[in-house]
Structures are given as structure tokens and as C-alpha cells.
Amino acid sequence: MLLKNVLVRLITTAITLFGVAVVVFVLVRVAPGNPIAMMLPPGATSEDIANLSALYGFDKSIFEQFVIWLGGVLRGDFGTSITLRQPVAELVLGRLPATLELSTMALFIALGLGGTVAVIGARKRDTATEVGLDLTSGAVLSIPDFLWGLIFVLLFGVLWPILSISGRIDPRIEFDFTTNFYIFEGLIRGRFDVVMSTLSHMLMPAMSLALPLAAMIAQLLKQNLKEVLNQDYTTLARVRGFSETSVILREALRNAALPTLALVGVQFTFLIGGTVIVERLFAFEGLGNMAIDAVINRDLPLIQGIVLLFAALFTVINLLVDLSYTLLNPRLRHG
Amino acid sequence: MVDATMPLRRRRFRVRNLRFWIPLTWIMMLVLAALCAPLIAPHDPLAQDLFLERLPPFFMDGAEPGYWLGTDSLGRDVLSRMIYGARIALFVSVIAAVSTGIFGSTLGLLAGYYGGWWDRVISRLVDIWMAFPPVLFAVLLVAVMGTGLTSVIAAIALIDWTRFARVIRAETMVQAHMDYVDSARIGGARRFTTLVSEILPNVMPSIIALLMLEMGIAVIVEAILSFVNLSISSDDPTWGSMIAEGRGAIHFAWWVLLFPLITLFLTVLSFSTLGEGIKKKFDPVLSS
């Protein structure tokens, strides 16, 4: 049963990715503006343009171009960036670690912050504290990451300048990275100045991405906790003399966390989608920032590569969440 | 314990009313500002005056009387640009939300009621659409269609229809199994008539709540596209272009960012609070 579900999910994932590839491929090709004319110096003859177009395969029909491109993708060749003149796969994989570190940090902040607020809300249920927390998380939830980013830039970048508002690391730090996972590599090689500088640059963008998700976790987890806290086994734990806080942390949290997990998975993909504009806002050298430049420069192969990578990331995360949900939930496992 | 809960219940009741009236008042103020912009704006929103550049707001030293919220790097009055900006913001949010709503709800109703191939195709499309990072998708669409407000509105509708389609599809499926739908069909109503005259009115509260949320989202999307220079020309007074300008001049004139940011913040919060309120008011489970 489980195996069949996995197979069905894998096939629909492949169909979705194929659909994304078709949509983005057609979209970038109906866009006005000749990317080849943009990369040649002014005064280039139409012959030069035609030659270069042929080199990139833009002289063929859209269908032919698609078949050629798809064949390349299946072999791991995503083409060559027009503006940066490097293989797309290399460029995109070089930027992916930055975006992954940023979204992972945001996810941890959201889980920590949202979880804490949920436990406090459940502990103080039916008091003014709970109402206050509900109102706050409701308001926080409705403000998108872009606005949080601007608010942080203004507050901690300018009015009380304690954090850097652009880049991923202090440019004065000399460090030769072999991977682009700055935090991971800094930790392993014992360079804590690298880790601290990267973390302080990531704090504001990560907080901007984390706040709406944290509010959502706070609301949902608190709701689930309150339901669990009315059940017999938690009453039993109370009778046995556990304090309310330890009943929540030791007994209730484990059972309330499962429904929250399903939501967090889907919301995590929205969070990753949000990195596009937040990276732009903080001049953070990740995938999203590169993507916007690629669109502005009409760098068709690069746009295709980035969109496809994002789509693959989203569908894989959804797949993993569904699978782990099935594995963790006994009712679904035997259903 | 008893003493503690009694005033709380009353307080909650009042809070709920305030949560309706405060956002509504803010939106009405915006509508009024948008309608009467030429009457209330103290200056021409496009008038540049390099002798008056980066004037601070009224509560700071060096403020010029008449320029309450200061001026930007080209000497344009921030308050006047914000008032005129309300016109564009409300125009975009209403038109974009309504077109997104019509487009997405129609697909949701069809998928939810007819099922079968309708459902399969529409659900697959939703899956594909959800696999795009929305901001990148918007930037890409506007780059394809060319900058301008029409492109911004079209991009919002072409991306966010999935939000309506998913919710309305699920609700339509629930409604389609209700007794009143069967009795309408037994009474001789055609399937399409049943969908429009029986099911649509019952999913309408959800559509209206989503419309409110969408209006808030549309204001943000316009701001984001202005921020990456893809909305209308940066001379025109939109809150987004003011924010972009403010971000650029943040170390010299932070007020150019602050005031449009506060406006955007309150507007998005108001739309979503109203949307939540409508959803709770009509939802029998939540309102009890």
C-alpha cells in the first residue's frame, strides 16, 4: 500500500515538474526583447546576431528547442548562461547553499519561536495572556516577509544600526570556501568568525521569512495542544503530580505536533518562495537574487534552470512531508 | 478564577467589535483620500524641487512648514505622494482581487461540482502553478507582458487564482453532497443552474473573505514589483515606488521609507483582519 502510494506520488511529481518546464520554457520565449542582441556590443551586424542565435539554438522552433533542452536536462546539462557565460548547473548549484542555509535558519527560528508561543498560550489558556498572544500572532501572520524585511532594515539597519543590511558575510573576512555552505564549513574548520559574521548577516532576512510561519505554528500548535490537554491521559499525568508545564512538554507536545508537521511542510515551501524578494531586499547572494537579475537580463537558460530547481525543491519537500506524515501516523500507516 | 473570567468575556466581545471597526475606518480613510486626492493633497505629487530635497518630517529639526512628512530625494512631498498613491493602490487591489476571484472561483466551482476530467485537469494545473515561487513567477510574467499596471494586475490574476480555486473547489465538493442540491436537481433544475443558483450563494462568504485577503496581497505584489522596477514608471506615485526610493536613500532620508511602509502595513493588516472577520461571521463552526 505504502509502496504504491510512493510510486503514484513520484509519477505525479514528475508530471508536475514537466508541466513547470513547459510553462517556463514557453513563457521566456514569448517575452519581447532579443537576448542575443543584448549581449552583443552596439553596432553588431544582423549576421553576427544570427550566428550567435544559431550557437545558442534560438533559430530553431520552440518545440525543437524544448526537445533539445529537455534532452540536456535529463543528462544533467542545463545549458549555458547568456550573460555570465558559465554552465547554468554550475551557477545555480553555487548559489543554492546560500538559499538553503537562509531558509533552514528561518525554519528553525519559526519552529522555536512559534513552538514557544504555542506552549505559553496553552499553559495560560483562557486568560488575557492567551487573547493577547492570539491577537499578536494574528497580526504577525498577515504581514508578509517583504514588509517584515523593510521594517527590520529600517529598525536595525538605520535607526538603531546594529546589523548589516546587505550581503552574506563581511567582505573583509578572508576565507577560501570549498563549498558554499558558509556556516557548515566555518563550523567544521573551526572558523567561528566566519560563522558569526554569516549568522549576523542572515539574522534579519531569516527573521523576515520566519515571522509569518512562526505565527502560524503558534496558532495551530496551541489549538492542537489545547485539544490534547482535555484528554484522559493528560489528566492522568496531572493526577500523578506533574506540573501543567511538564504535562505539556512531556505528554501533550508529542501528540499535538503531528498535525502541525503537515502544515509546516507546505508552509516551508512558501517560505523558500519568499527568499526571492527577501534576498533581493538584503542583497543576499542566493538563488532568488540571481533569478531576478536573470529575468531583467533576459538570460533564458538561467531563468529556466532556476525556476526548475525551485520547483524540484518544492515538490521534493512536499513529497518528503507526506511520506514522513504517513510513517509517523499509525492510523494512516495501517489504513 | 470566576472573577478573572467575567471581565475577560466582556473584553473579548469588545475586542471583536474593534477588530471590525478599526480596519474598516482605515480602509474608508484610504478610499476618501483616493477620491479627494486633488482636494486634500497639499502639493503636486510629481512636482520636483531640488531646493527642497530630503526635508525631514514636521517633528524634526529643519522641517519646512507645509511639508508635514518631509520630501524625498527629488524634493517631492511625501504626504501628497502617499495620498495619490492610495488611488493606484486601491485601483490595483480592487481590480486585481476581483479578476483573480472570478477566474479562480470559476475554476474551483467547475472542478468541485463536475469532478472527473474537469477536476483532474484543474487540480494538475494548480499543482504545477504551486510549484513556482510566486514572486519569481510575477517578475517573469511582468517581464513577458511589459511593465505597467495592466501587467501587474494580469500577473496577480494569473498567479493567485490557485488560492481561490483550491478553497472553492473543496467547499463546492462539500456543498454538492448536501440535500438541498439533490432536491434542486429532483425539482428539475439543470446541473449548471444548480451550480450557479444553489451552490454559488453558499460558497459566496468564502469568496468574499478571500477577496479581502487578495486585496491586501495585491497591494503587496504591486509594491514588490515596483521595488524591482517592474511596475509603472517610478515617477508615478505608488507606495511601492516610494518604498523602493526610500530603500535607496535609507541612509540619508529614512522617512521616505517609513511613512509609506506604515501605510502599507496598516492596509494589509486591515484587509486581512476584515477577511478573517467575514470568514468567522459566516462560518457556523467558528462563530459559535
Side-chain angles (χ1 to χ4, degrees):
Chain A
M1 215 33 216
L2 188 64
L3 192 71
K4 195 188 155 201
N5 281 345
V6 174
L7 272 178
V8 170
R9 279 302 306 262
L10 282 177
I11 293 168
T12 47
T13 302
I15 297 173
T16 304
L17 287 180
F18 183 77
V20 169
V22 172
V23 172
V24 67
F25 202 86
V26 173
L27 257 184
V28 293
R29 271 166 185 73
V30 298
N34 185 344
I36 298 298
M38 280 174 75
M39 65 187 285
L40 285 169
T45 62
S46 53
E47 204 175 313
D48 292 336
I49 296 179
N51 284 339
L52 207 58
S53 293
L55 186 69
Y56 279 93
F58 293 137
D59 55 337
K60 300 192 175 67
S61 73
I62 289 192
F63 181 73
E64 273 177 286
Q65 289 184 44
F66 184 71
V67 172
I68 294 171
W69 178 70
L70 198 67
V73 167
L74 293 176
R75 290 193 309 271
D77 174 13
F78 287 78
T80 308
S81 156
I82 297 176
T83 43
L84 303 167
R85 312 200 181 174
Q86 287 175 51
V88 169
E90 211 171 88
L91 287 168
V92 167
L93 290 180
R95 287 293 186 99
L96 181 63
T99 302
L100 281 185
E101 278 191 347
L102 179 62
S103 9
T104 312
M105 181 172 173
L107 180 66
F108 281 131
I109 294 177
L111 286 171
L113 201 62
T116 311
V117 173
V119 169
I120 295 173
R123 180 72 188 80
K124 305 265 180 196
R125 57 188 180 280
D126 302 323
T127 66
T129 312
E130 194 201 350
V131 178
L133 287 177
D134 279 354
L135 284 175
T136 315
S137 60
V140 169
L141 181 59
S142 54
I143 302 302
D145 41 27
F146 176 62
L147 282 193
W148 286 122
L150 287 166
I151 292 168
F152 288 138
V153 164
L154 200 56
L155 285 181
F156 304 114
V158 178
L159 296 182
W160 186 36
I162 49 167
L163 289 169
S164 163
I165 57 171
S166 69
R168 195 178 164 201
I169 192 169
D170 190 334
R172 285 166 301 185
I173 289 184
E174 281 180 30
F175 189 68
D176 203 16
F177 290 100
T178 42
T179 69
N180 273 327
F181 290 99
Y182 287 10
I183 293 183
F184 184 70
E185 204 177 329
L187 278 176
I188 285 189
R189 289 167 54 179
R191 284 287 300 270
F192 294 104
D193 57 330
V194 170
V195 178
M196 287 316 290
S197 174
T198 313
L199 281 178
S200 73
H201 277 75
M202 274 168 50
L203 188 59
M204 284 200 290
M207 277 297 283
S208 321
L209 291 164
L211 277 180
L213 181 57
M216 196 174 279
I217 293 173
Q219 289 187 341
L220 193 80
L221 185 61
K222 190 203 71 184
Q223 202 54 44
N224 294 331
L225 277 174
K226 279 170 77 179
E227 276 163 27
V228 173
L229 285 169
N230 283 328
Q231 286 174 9
D232 290 344
Y233 74 96
T234 51
T235 315
L236 191 68
R238 268 179 224 119
V239 171
R240 286 168 62 197
F242 286 109
S243 74
E244 187 65 23
T245 310
S246 65
V247 170
I248 292 176
L249 293 178
R250 295 168 51 122
E251 310 282 334
L253 200 55
R254 203 182 312 163
N255 290 298
L258 195 59
T260 316
L261 175 77
L263 172 116
V264 170
V266 180
Q267 293 298 323
F268 185 47
T269 62
F270 290 149
L271 187 153
I272 297 178
T275 59
V276 175
I277 192 66
V278 170
E279 284 179 2
R280 190 74 179 176
L281 185 54
F282 288 96
F284 189 86
E285 296 104 353
L287 264 184
N289 210 347
M290 185 188 241
I292 292 179
D293 283 332
V295 173
I296 291 172
N297 295 326
R298 299 278 186 277
D299 194 336
L300 312 192
L302 191 54
I303 301 172
Q304 285 159 200
I306 297 176
V307 172
L308 206 62
L309 181 66
F310 269 116
L313 213 56
F314 290 5
T315 43
V316 166
I317 289 172
N318 279 329
L319 192 67
L320 290 179
V321 171
D322 281 3
L323 289 181
S324 57
Y325 191 70
T326 319
L327 287 176
L328 291 172
N329 192 340
R331 268 172 295 196
L332 286 177
R333 194 169 50 213
H334 300 299
Chain B
M1 277 303 279
V2 179
D3 288 321
T5 52
M6 281 309 285
L8 180 74
R9 209 169 275 164
R10 217 177 300 150
R11 204 181 309 141
R12 245 185 202 167
F13 178 72
R14 239 185 290 148
V15 163
R16 191 176 284 176
N17 278 329
L18 284 180
R19 287 184 76 182
F20 178 72
W21 286 111
I22 295 177
L24 194 67
T25 312
W26 174 254
I27 303 289
M28 290 329 276
M29 274 170 59
L30 284 185
V31 172
L32 213 65
L35 290 176
C36 315
L39 298 176
I40 50 175
H43 299 275
D44 178 351
L46 301 177
Q48 303 181 4
D49 188 341
L50 294 181
F51 291 109
L52 294 172
E53 61 166 39
R54 291 175 193 157
L55 288 177
F58 69 95
F59 50 82
M60 285 170 66
D61 291 335
E64 194 79 27
Y67 294 88
W68 295 103
L69 301 183
T71 57
D72 65 11
S73 305
L74 295 172
R76 297 172 297 194
D77 182 41
V78 169
L79 178 61
S80 306
R81 287 178 73 74
M82 271 167 51
I83 292 172
Y84 274 90
R87 287 189 156 186
I88 298 172
L90 288 179
F91 176 77
V92 170
S93 65
V94 171
I95 306 286
V98 169
S99 19
T100 313
I102 292 175
F103 186 36
S105 307
T106 308
L107 291 178
L109 283 166
L110 291 174
Y113 188 59
Y114 287 107
W117 278 105
W118 280 105
D119 192 25
R120 247 167 271 168
V121 172
I122 292 170
S123 298
R124 186 61 46 220
L125 275 181
V126 170
D127 278 354
I128 293 173
W129 250 242
M130 301 279 290
F132 276 92
V135 172
L136 184 52
F137 203 3
V139 169
L140 193 57
L141 279 175
V142 174
V144 169
M145 294 185 288
T147 55
L149 279 189
T150 325
S151 302
V152 172
I153 292 168
I156 294 171
L158 285 173
I159 294 166
D160 256 2
W161 62 270
T162 54
R163 197 187 304 273
F164 285 83
R166 276 180 305 149
V167 176
I168 301 307
R169 170 182 171 269
E171 295 220 347
T172 307
M173 284 172 123
V174 173
Q175 298 291 335
H177 290 102
M178 299 267 184
D179 288 341
Y180 74 90
V181 175
D182 289 335
S183 41
R185 294 277 291 142
I186 292 166
R190 290 171 46 219
R191 275 179 80 88
F192 186 72
T193 320
T194 316
L195 180 61
V196 173
S197 60
E198 303 289 333
I199 294 181
L200 181 60
N202 280 293
V203 297
M204 211 55 200
S206 299
I207 296 181
I208 293 171
L210 283 171
L211 275 177
M212 281 290 162
L213 286 177
E214 195 60 45
M215 285 166 81
I217 292 167
V219 180
I220 292 289
V221 174
E222 196 282 318
I224 288 177
L225 290 170
S226 286
F227 190 77
V228 291
N229 255 327
L230 285 170
S231 188
I232 54 175
S233 85
S234 52
D235 282 344
D236 287 304
T238 72
W239 296 342
S241 65
M242 295 182 75
I243 282 175
E245 144 91 34
R247 173 69 175 86
I250 194 165
H251 292 293
F252 323 106
W254 48 264
W255 52 88
V256 183
L257 176 59
L258 178 70
F259 297 115
L261 185 56
I262 294 175
T263 316
L264 206 55
F265 186 93
L266 291 177
T267 309
V268 174
L269 194 57
S270 300
F271 277 131
S272 85
T273 313
L274 284 179
E276 286 294 312
I278 292 170
K279 203 163 81 187
K280 279 192 186 135
K281 199 171 166 64
F282 285 100
D283 192 321
V285 180
L286 287 171
S287 64
S288 64

